[in-house]
């Protein structure tokens, strides 16, 4: 039974007959006159009245929003927890699987399963329908709606002018009230974990009944927003129950273009919140589609501007192009961002053409002419040459000789090299090129740790505060993938004290071993604790560190000691040092280039792990999926020769299969949507001599395949073509 947008559940008898399964106790009781929809009003009356008084005292009505009424977080928490206790206390003591099935019905936006739905028939499973009945009680829904309204009120009050200081910052008291209430709820759920099985699905039901199914935002003070905020709190703090918070009804109801346009146009507002800001409402592939749509809309605007500029010049100043120095207007009127790049020095060629480009030009679709100096291939619409271009960029930047990145041998993850001697403009160029690749939908053959993508989505981190072991543990979670040894050592430090440990952070670069600590200042100032050479011998003369971005000129000073009282902060600052401070100048240069094309708000629709998957794709190739999406020109998919082709390719090791994919498409990684997102065409070609090898056109993702006499000949010729052709990726 679908829920309506006015907040009440649609309950005509004819609708119930369509959606409920017959021959169950619950159904028979309902049609016999059962009053389950209004059951237990007396039991809920007391907490409901208390909750309504709490909402009135909190100035819920729009006419009273400017009235400042202090809320007691302790009293408010007590009322909220009592209301939640009333909501969940008489729910069946069923196992988790039955609640999961009931939740799956609500997640689809229904109150009960459709007639043709798949439902358990075992009598032991009949409890799920009773669970749905209880979750559909009006008194229970009304009580939870009040709880959701209060949570929305807490957020709304935090953003009211009355609860902000003269700088517009949230007051300490308002923030403390919110944190206190959230912590009380989390503690309650920790002590009563079964309540999550009820609260999650019912909050989804509340949201779906108060959302109009067309808006991409919800009012901050609304019941719908409050329900989402409770779900968000549970989603972020109850990882074992995340399936109870997901609801993809919004992703199915809203058009991708509407989501993208509203996200681009929406400014940060205290009055509304965008649905994309809730992680659990949209799966990763929907967020990827939204981002691509935003990029497409920006490209369309840039192309339209170029067309208008060209039309205006032709109409008013037809000869200006000839007089303009070095054809400046020509760049203004081009519909593409066109780069001419040789394979010999790809980074320098890219830098020479990109550093002087206006930002508006960078928003146009990218096209690349790539090859040797005198023979440049043209990148066509399907983007094969752009893939090869970015592959070469990544290879050049990641080389050990470039000195820009360091790669962990065990994990294979790369990160900025501390003390790199490369000029900072090279990191700015790399940030710009990476943004262009993401903007144009090219998957990159790189492997960065999750913290890299966290900084892209969240921005520069602040210096850690003294927030105890909880903050230290949170910092360590971003070290485990790329700094495993350091993470284990710091975890050991949290468990036991190490005597006489200096409060300093190490750095080994350019033949020197440094120990650095920070003085309490804003921004924090690095101070040298000690300097030794590679063999550990003390360097008596203070070196002048003129590494790019480094200005540590002070003589060495003695650091403090790590104690039981400050070791949590030391662990957090150590993680901050490894991931940010030791490479801060490189990070800032990279972000300067990156944000010329993609702003932080556009990326904020991703979680770090999802952004990593979107940028890097997957190294796993599903050859069956590639076969299903392959197109043919001159061959038939069911022909014996093509079936032999796929039987042969399927027998190859995965690494060889990926070489075939790279030979045809130039793609080294599989995009987030799978191999079906790539263009792969097998075209029949007629050759005079069957000694000819297959060729490819990466521009069009096409394999030109002659018809060989036997499977053995096909295997030999195709294998040789792949090995010989990888450096040039076919014919371009």
């Amino acid at each position: 039974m679908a829920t309506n947008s006015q907040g009440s559940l649609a309950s005509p008898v004819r609708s119930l007959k369509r959606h409920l399964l017959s021959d169950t106790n619950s159904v028979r009781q309902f049609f016999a006159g059962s009053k389950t929809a209004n059951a237990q009003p007396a039991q809920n009356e007391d907490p409901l009245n208390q909750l309504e008084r709490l909402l009135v005292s909190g100035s819920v009505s729009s006419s009273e929003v400017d009235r400042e009424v202090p809320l007691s977080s302790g009293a408010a928490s007590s009322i909220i927890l009592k209301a939640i206790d009333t909501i969940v206390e008489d729910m069946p003591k069923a196992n988790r699987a039955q609640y999961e099935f009931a939740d799956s019905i609500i997640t689809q936006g229904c109150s009960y399963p459709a007639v043709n739905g798949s439902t358990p028939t075992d009598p032991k499973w009949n409890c799920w329908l009773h669970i749905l009945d209880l979750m559909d009680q009006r008194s229970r829904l009304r009580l939870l709606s009040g709880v959701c309204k209060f949570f929305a009120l807490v957020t709304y009050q935090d953003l009211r002018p009355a609860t902000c200081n003269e700088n517009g910052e949230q007051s300490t008291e308002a923030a403390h009230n919110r944190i206190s209430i959230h912590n009380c709820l989390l503690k309650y759920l920790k002590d009563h974990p079964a309540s999550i099985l009820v609260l999650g699905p019912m909050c989804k039901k509340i949201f779906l009944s108060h959302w109009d199914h067309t808006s991409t935002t919800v009012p901050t003070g609304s019941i719908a927003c409050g329900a989402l905020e409770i779900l968000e709190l549970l989603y972020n703090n109850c990882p074992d129950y995340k399936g109870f918070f997901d609801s993809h009804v919004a992703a199915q109801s809203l058009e991708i273009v509407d989501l993208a346009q509203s996200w681009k146009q929406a400014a940060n507002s205290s009055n509304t919140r965008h649905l994309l800001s809730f992680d659990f409402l949209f799966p990763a592939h929907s967020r990827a589609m939204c981002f691509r749509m935003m990029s497409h809309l920006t490209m369309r605007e840039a192309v339209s501007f170029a067309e208008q500029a060209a039309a205006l010049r032709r109409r008013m100043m037809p000869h200006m192009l000839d007089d303009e120095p070095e054809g400046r207007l020509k760049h203004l009127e081009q519909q593409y961002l066109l780069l001419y790049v040789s394979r010999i020095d790809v980074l320098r060629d890219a830098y020479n053409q990109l550093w002087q480009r206006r930002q508006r030009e960078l928003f146009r679709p990218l096209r690349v002419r790539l090859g040797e100096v005198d023979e440049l291939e043209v990148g066509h619409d399907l983007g094969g040459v752009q893939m090869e271009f970015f592959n070469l960029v990544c290879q050049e930047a990641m080389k050990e000789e470039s000195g820009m990145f360091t790669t962990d041998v065990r994990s294979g993850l790369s990160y900025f090299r501390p003390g790199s001697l490369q000029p900072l403009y090279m990191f700015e160029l790399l940030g710009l090129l990476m943004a262009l690749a993401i903007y144009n939908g090219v998957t990159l053959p790189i492997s960065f740790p999750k913290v890299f993508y966290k900084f892209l989505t969240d921005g520069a981190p602040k210096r850690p505060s003294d927030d105890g072991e909880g903050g230290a543990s949170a910092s360590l979670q971003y070290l485990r993938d790329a700094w495993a040894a350091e993470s284990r050592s710091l975890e050991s430090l949290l468990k036991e004290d190490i005597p006489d440990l200096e409060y300093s952070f190490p750095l080994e670069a350019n033949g020197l071993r440094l120990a650095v600590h920070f003085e309490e200042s804003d921004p924090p100032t690095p101070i040298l604790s000690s300097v030794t050479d590679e063999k550990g011998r003390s360097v008596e003369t203070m070196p002048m560190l003129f590494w790019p971005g480094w200005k540590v000129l002070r003589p060495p000073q003695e650091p403090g000691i790590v104690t039981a009282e400050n070791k949590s902060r030391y662990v957090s600052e150590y993680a901050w040092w490894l991931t940010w401070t030791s490479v801060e100048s490189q990070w800032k240069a990279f972000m300067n280039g990156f944000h010329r094309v993609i702003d932080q708000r556009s990326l904020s629709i991703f979680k770090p792990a999802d952004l990593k998957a979107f940028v890097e794709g997957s190294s796993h190739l599903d050859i069956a999926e590639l076969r299903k999406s392959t197109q043919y020109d001159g061959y038939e998919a069911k022909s014996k020769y093509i079936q032999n082709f796929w039987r042969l390719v399927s027998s190859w090791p995965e690494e060889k299969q990926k070489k075939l994919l790279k030979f045809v498409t130039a793609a080294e990684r599989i995009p987030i949507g799978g191999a079906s997102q790539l263009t792969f065409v097998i075209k029949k070609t007629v050759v005079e001599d069957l000694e000819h090898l297959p060729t490819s056109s990466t521009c069009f993702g096409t394999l030109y395949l002659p018809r060989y006499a036997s499977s053995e000949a096909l295997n030999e010729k195709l294998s040789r073509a792949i090995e010989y052709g990888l450096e040039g990726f076919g014919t371009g």
Side-chain angles (χ1 to χ4, degrees):
M1 182 190 299
T3 56
N4 63 17
S5 61
Q6 281 73 36
S8 61
L9 294 169
S11 55
V13 172
R14 284 176 296 180
S15 178
L16 273 173
K17 289 180 178 178
R18 286 197 304 269
H19 290 284
L20 289 177
L21 297 177
S22 61
D23 198 26
T24 67
N25 291 333
S26 298
V27 175
R28 287 195 296 270
Q29 289 174 7
F30 183 91
F31 287 106
S34 173
K35 304 299 183 181
T36 57
N38 294 295
Q40 300 176 339
Q43 180 181 354
N44 292 345
E45 185 175 0
D46 182 51
L48 183 59
N49 290 338
Q50 290 183 359
L51 190 58
E52 288 177 346
R53 286 195 296 271
L54 178 64
L55 293 173
V56 172
S57 71
S59 184
V60 174
S61 64
S62 58
S63 62
E64 299 178 300
V65 294
D66 294 328
R67 179 163 60 87
E68 181 180 3
V69 178
L71 291 174
S72 167
S73 60
S77 298
S78 177
I79 295 173
I80 291 298
L81 296 184
K82 185 176 180 181
I84 293 176
D85 204 42
T86 302
I87 292 170
V88 304
E89 66 179 352
D90 64 335
M91 295 297 292
K93 302 289 190 294
N95 60 39
R96 176 167 172 169
Q98 298 189 51
Y99 275 95
E100 285 179 343
F101 183 77
D103 174 71
S104 68
I105 304 302
I106 296 174
T107 298
Q108 299 169 19
C110 303
S111 294
Y112 296 94
V115 172
N116 59 353
S118 176
T119 57
T121 57
D122 191 327
K124 296 179 181 178
W125 279 82
N126 283 345
C127 185
W128 64 266
L129 189 54
H130 183 47
I131 292 172
L132 288 174
D133 284 343
L134 293 177
M135 287 185 177
D136 210 28
Q137 287 180 357
R138 293 178 186 173
S139 57
R140 202 180 301 267
L141 291 171
R142 184 181 178 190
L143 190 57
L144 183 56
S145 295
V147 173
C148 294
K149 183 67 178 181
F150 178 75
F151 263 75
L153 172 64
V154 171
T155 301
Y156 183 71
Q157 283 197 335
D158 284 353
L159 299 172
R160 284 170 49 194
T163 59
C164 296
N165 59 26
E166 62 272 11
N167 297 323
E169 298 172 343
Q170 189 182 111
S171 72
T172 304
E173 182 181 359
H176 173 75
N177 284 344
R178 183 184 185 189
I179 294 172
S180 176
I181 292 170
H182 285 189
N183 288 342
C184 286
L185 176 58
L186 292 175
K187 184 178 184 305
Y188 171 86
L189 295 175
K190 184 179 180 180
D191 296 335
H192 306 83
S195 300
I196 300 174
L197 304 180
V198 179
L199 199 57
M202 288 196 67
C203 280
K204 281 191 278 190
K205 180 184 284 286
I206 293 292
F207 163 67
L208 293 174
S209 66
H210 287 82
W211 175 55
D212 62 9
H213 292 253
T214 59
S215 298
T216 58
T217 62
V218 288
T220 305
S222 66
I223 294 176
C225 188
L228 292 178
E229 285 165 358
I230 293 176
L231 287 170
E232 184 176 51
L233 181 68
L234 302 183
Y235 179 86
N236 292 333
N237 293 278
C238 306
D240 294 336
Y241 295 86
K242 283 198 172 180
F244 283 89
F245 318 129
D246 294 338
S247 177
H248 299 159
V249 173
Q252 297 164 1
S253 302
L254 299 172
E255 295 290 340
I256 293 295
V257 64
D258 294 334
L259 282 168
Q261 284 180 329
S262 61
W263 185 263
K264 277 172 59 70
Q265 297 167 358
N268 292 329
S269 171
S270 62
N271 298 322
T272 59
R273 186 166 174 189
H274 203 285
L275 295 182
L276 277 172
S277 65
F278 296 99
D279 291 339
F280 49 87
L281 287 182
F282 297 89
H285 69 271
S286 294
R287 294 178 180 276
M289 291 177 63
C290 282
F291 180 83
R292 285 174 175 156
M293 179 58 69
M294 283 189 280
S295 299
H296 174 74
L297 294 173
T298 305
M299 285 182 186
R300 193 168 64 180
E301 293 172 4
V303 171
S304 176
F305 180 86
E307 291 174 344
Q308 293 173 19
L312 182 63
R313 181 192 60 79
R314 287 193 299 267
R315 197 161 54 243
M316 301 183 63
M317 299 163 284
H319 303 295
M320 180 177 289
L321 189 62
D322 299 330
D323 301 330
E324 186 71 13
E326 300 183 6
R328 189 176 302 171
L329 278 180
K330 182 179 179 181
H331 286 297
L332 183 66
E333 298 174 5
Q334 284 181 340
Q335 296 185 18
Y336 297 99
L337 175 61
L338 185 58
L339 299 181
Y340 298 83
V341 183
S342 71
R343 289 190 176 94
I344 298 175
D345 200 346
V346 61
L347 285 178
R348 184 174 298 278
D349 288 348
Y351 174 77
N352 289 338
Q353 296 176 66
L354 287 173
W355 73 270
Q356 58 185 340
R357 293 297 183 100
R358 300 179 180 91
Q359 186 173 26
R360 190 182 296 273
E361 296 177 52
L362 302 176
F363 293 149
R364 300 170 187 167
L366 178 66
R367 294 293 179 265
V368 179
R369 296 179 185 269
L370 178 65
E372 304 306 324
V373 175
D374 298 325
E375 297 180 2
L376 296 174
E377 304 162 5
V378 180
H380 294 278
D381 291 342
L382 297 182
V385 175
Q386 289 115 41
M387 287 187 189
E388 183 184 353
F389 165 65
F390 286 114
N391 290 345
L392 293 173
V393 167
C394 293
Q395 291 172 16
E396 187 70 23
M398 298 298 167
K399 287 194 307 187
E400 183 70 22
E401 297 79 18
S402 72
M404 298 179 72
F405 291 89
T406 179
T407 301
D408 180 68
V409 178
R410 293 185 179 181
S411 66
L413 298 174
S414 301
Y415 206 64
F416 296 120
R417 181 185 294 274
S420 173
L421 298 179
Q422 279 282 3
L424 295 180
Y425 68 78
M426 291 300 293
F427 291 92
E428 185 172 352
L429 169 67
L430 195 62
L432 174 58
L433 289 171
M434 182 174 175
L436 284 174
I438 298 172
Y439 180 71
N440 285 272
V442 178
T443 304
L444 295 174
I446 55 178
S447 295
F448 289 144
K450 288 182 181 178
V451 71
F452 181 91
Y453 296 99
K454 177 176 174 58
F455 292 162
L456 282 183
T457 56
D458 297 351
K462 296 181 179 179
R463 183 177 184 176
S465 59
D466 191 6
D467 48 8
E469 289 194 18
S473 300
S475 300
L476 287 179
Q477 68 172 316
Y478 288 103
L479 295 186
R480 295 191 179 105
D481 53 356
W483 297 273
E486 291 85 347
S487 176
R488 287 193 296 269
S489 298
L490 294 172
E491 285 174 348
S492 298
L493 176 60
L494 287 176
K495 297 175 182 177
E496 57 185 44
D497 296 336
I498 300 178
D500 301 325
L501 177 63
E502 286 189 353
Y503 201 114
S504 63
F505 313 105
L507 173 66
E508 186 171 345
N510 306 319
L512 295 175
R513 292 178 179 175
L514 312 179
V516 178
H517 63 281
F518 294 89
E519 67 177 11
E520 296 294 337
S521 61
D522 190 17
T525 304
I527 303 173
L528 280 176
S529 305
S530 64
V531 183
T532 61
D533 60 18
E534 291 178 318
K535 296 182 178 181
R537 296 173 299 195
S538 179
V539 177
E540 299 297 335
T541 305
M542 166 61 192
M544 303 294 287
L545 298 184
F546 288 123
W547 305 340
W550 280 76
K551 295 181 180 178
V552 184
L553 302 177
R554 295 190 176 194
Q557 296 183 12
E558 289 296 325
I561 299 296
V562 178
T563 65
E565 291 73 25
N566 66 14
K567 67 179 181 180
S568 293
R569 180 170 182 176
Y570 175 74
V571 168
S572 297
E573 288 193 344
Y574 201 113
W576 173 64
W577 163 258
L578 284 177
T579 58
W580 178 260
T581 319
S582 62
V583 289
E584 182 176 1
S585 54
Q586 286 79 16
W587 251 121
K588 288 183 175 179
F590 181 90
M591 285 185 171
N592 285 340
F594 191 93
H595 289 153
R596 290 185 66 191
V597 180
I598 302 175
D599 58 75
Q600 187 177 324
R601 175 171 171 76
S602 297
L603 284 184
S604 63
I605 67 172
F606 290 107
K607 293 179 291 185
D610 292 339
L611 179 58
K612 177 180 173 69
F614 180 69
V615 173
E616 301 180 10
S618 170
S619 59
H620 172 65
L621 172 60
D622 185 343
I623 201 67
E625 182 182 4
L626 180 64
R627 179 178 182 176
K628 288 180 182 178
S629 61
T630 297
Q631 304 170 42
Y632 301 94
D633 186 351
Y635 288 115
E636 294 293 333
K638 296 182 179 180
S639 68
K640 185 176 180 180
Y641 187 68
I642 289 299
Q643 290 184 2
N644 285 338
F645 170 87
W646 286 113
R647 190 178 300 113
L648 169 66
V649 172
S650 298
S651 69
W652 288 351
E654 186 179 6
E655 286 304 313
K656 189 173 181 180
Q657 293 173 350
K658 289 191 288 187
K659 288 181 179 180
L660 171 64
L661 182 69
K662 183 177 179 181
F663 176 69
V664 177
T665 68
E668 295 191 16
R669 299 286 181 89
I670 312 304
I672 193 171
S676 61
Q677 302 298 309
L678 297 169
T679 299
F680 195 95
V681 181
I682 299 178
K683 184 174 183 177
K684 185 175 183 180
T685 182
V686 178
V687 293
E688 296 179 358
D689 186 358
L690 286 180
E691 290 300 314
H692 280 84
L693 300 180
T695 58
S696 67
S697 173
T698 56
C699 303
F700 298 101
T702 301
L703 172 65
Y704 297 99
L705 183 66
R707 188 180 184 92
Y708 295 106
S710 66
S711 297
E712 292 76 12
L714 174 62
N715 186 21
E716 177 194 355
K717 302 300 182 185
L718 188 57
S719 298
R720 287 172 59 192
I722 292 171
E723 294 300 324
Y724 294 158
L726 281 181
E727 287 305 315
F729 303 108
T731 62

